[in-house]
DNA sequence: TCTTGCTCCTACAGTTACTATAGCATGTAT
DNA sequence: ATACATGCTATAGTAACTGTAGGAGCAAGA
């Protein structure tokens, strides 16, 4: 029942790269994998879930530190409500802001596609739409994230 | 009327760092700034807009290459429809997938906050909710992004 | 049995997108 | 005149990967 597989299979099933998985183990967001007799890392379905979660979150601009917090919520079900509440509320706001900005981008893209009737496009308002002081004000950017790198995004 | 200011002011007004702006000039996503008599870079409102756009996009996980494409749509209004269409459609899908995943995250966060009534949380379903095979299947992750680093997110 | 080929291992170098720091010049405030 | 902030260039460091070198393990075919 509890199917086991190696790192290459895990990489395939989560659409990530083998060195990335080893890197996640090294920095502690993935657990230290149990080794088979031949020293190879063995994984199960739970590892797919965890890795999927990490990859989705990274693709959306969450840092590995953010992700560590979120994973902690899941890893330690005996957190107090205050802790959960703080992390979850923080992230909820973060998520909602991202959705708001993405929705503006979405509308602008749709407008651009819609406007394309075979002639040349006379004016592209995407920057104005997104960087406009008024809009920026409305979205009320507040807090800040940390460093990333080389996201192979699952979200396209 | 056309107010001019230096790099520190631009950094303040866009909530970015001075070296980041110089870096963006170096790699060509910001234009080569016109220098004052004393060799200092001078900026105007248009630079704020462009930089805001770049920062917002980065915070949402778009790469500088993605952003270059988007900026090109705005910089060269004489693109053919085919070009605009291709870039815009590509990005539209990308954006919509990000929104779908963020919406799942949002609901899960709300559920967690809602469940918190002063006792201990018995079970956190966030990872299950987000990494579940069924859900991942439903979201149908397809294409991929590229590298990032050190995003100071405007979106919180 | 040998060997071709695939996947695994470790370890380290390279990439992207910044961020910080050093060392010096310029401008403003006292 | 001197202090101090800000600008400049140049270079090094960081985060989050990605690629590659060099070697081991195992399965299937010649």
């Amino acid at each position: 029942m509890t199917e086991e597989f190696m790192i290459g299979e895990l990489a395939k099933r989560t659409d990530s790269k083998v060195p990335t998985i080893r890197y996640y183990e090294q920095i502690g967001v993935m657990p230290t994998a149990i080794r088979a007799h031949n020293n190879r890392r063995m994984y199960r379905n739970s590892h797919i879930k965890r890795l999927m979660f990490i990859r989705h979150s990274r693709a959306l601009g969450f840092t590995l530190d953010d992700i560590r917090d979120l994973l902690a919520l899941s890893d330690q079900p005996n957190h107090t409500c205050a802790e959960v509440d703080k992390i979850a509320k923080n992230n909820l706001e973060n998520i909602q802001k991202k959705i708001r900005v993405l929705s503006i981008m979405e509308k602008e893209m749709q407008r651009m596609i819609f406007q394309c009737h075979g002639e040349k496009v006379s004016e592209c308002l995407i920057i104005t739409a997104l960087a406009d002081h008024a809009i920026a004000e409305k979205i009320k950017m507040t807090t800040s994230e940390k460093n990333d790198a080389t996201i192979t995004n699952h979200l396209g």
Side-chain angles (χ1 to χ4, degrees), chain A:
Chain A
M1 283 302 103
T2 358
E3 200 204 346
E4 291 209 334
F5 41 86
M6 286 182 291
I7 200 164
E9 186 62 22
L10 179 59
K12 246 174 241 163
R13 295 203 200 176
T14 57
D15 195 31
S16 34
K17 308 259 164 80
V18 169
T20 305
I21 299 170
R22 292 198 273 246
Y23 169 71
Y24 284 163
E25 178 178 329
Q26 191 191 299
I27 64 159
V29 293
M30 283 297 281
T32 310
I34 290 160
R35 304 298 182 110
H37 63 93
N38 52 12
N39 195 36
R40 294 182 182 189
R41 290 169 178 86
M42 299 308 293
Y43 297 98
R44 296 210 229 75
N45 284 332
S46 60
H47 296 102
I48 296 180
K49 287 193 182 186
R50 196 183 180 92
L51 186 49
M52 279 288 205
F53 172 75
I54 298 168
R55 298 269 76 209
H56 291 173
S57 304
R58 287 291 298 122
L60 292 164
F62 292 95
T63 66
L64 286 173
D65 275 0
D66 292 338
I67 294 166
R68 232 186 284 266
D69 276 356
L70 291 169
L71 286 169
L73 289 181
S74 153
D75 289 345
Q76 298 163 27
N78 287 335
H79 267 284
T80 66
C81 271
E83 289 169 312
V84 174
D85 223 57
K86 203 185 152 214
I87 298 172
K89 276 185 177 157
N90 231 319
N91 270 281
L92 180 61
E93 272 176 54
N94 202 327
I95 288 162
Q96 287 173 339
K97 277 171 196 163
K98 281 173 192 273
I99 291 174
R100 281 202 292 281
V101 175
L102 280 169
S103 298
I104 295 173
M105 284 184 134
E106 184 190 16
K107 280 190 193 75
E108 200 43 38
M109 286 294 150
Q110 280 168 335
R111 203 186 54 73
M112 287 178 65
I113 292 164
F114 182 74
Q115 276 190 352
C116 241
H117 314 291
E119 296 123 73
K120 301 229 169 189
V121 180
S122 57
E123 205 191 16
C124 172
L125 298 171
I126 184 159
I127 292 182
T128 314
L130 263 155
D132 197 301
H133 236 39
I135 292 172
E137 216 66 30
K138 227 168 62 185
I139 297 171
K140 268 272 175 198
M141 312 295 167
T142 46
T143 59
S144 67
E145 259 176 24
K146 273 297 164 56
N147 302 29
D148 286 26
T150 321
I151 302 170
T152 298
N153 185 353
H154 287 195
L155 314 176

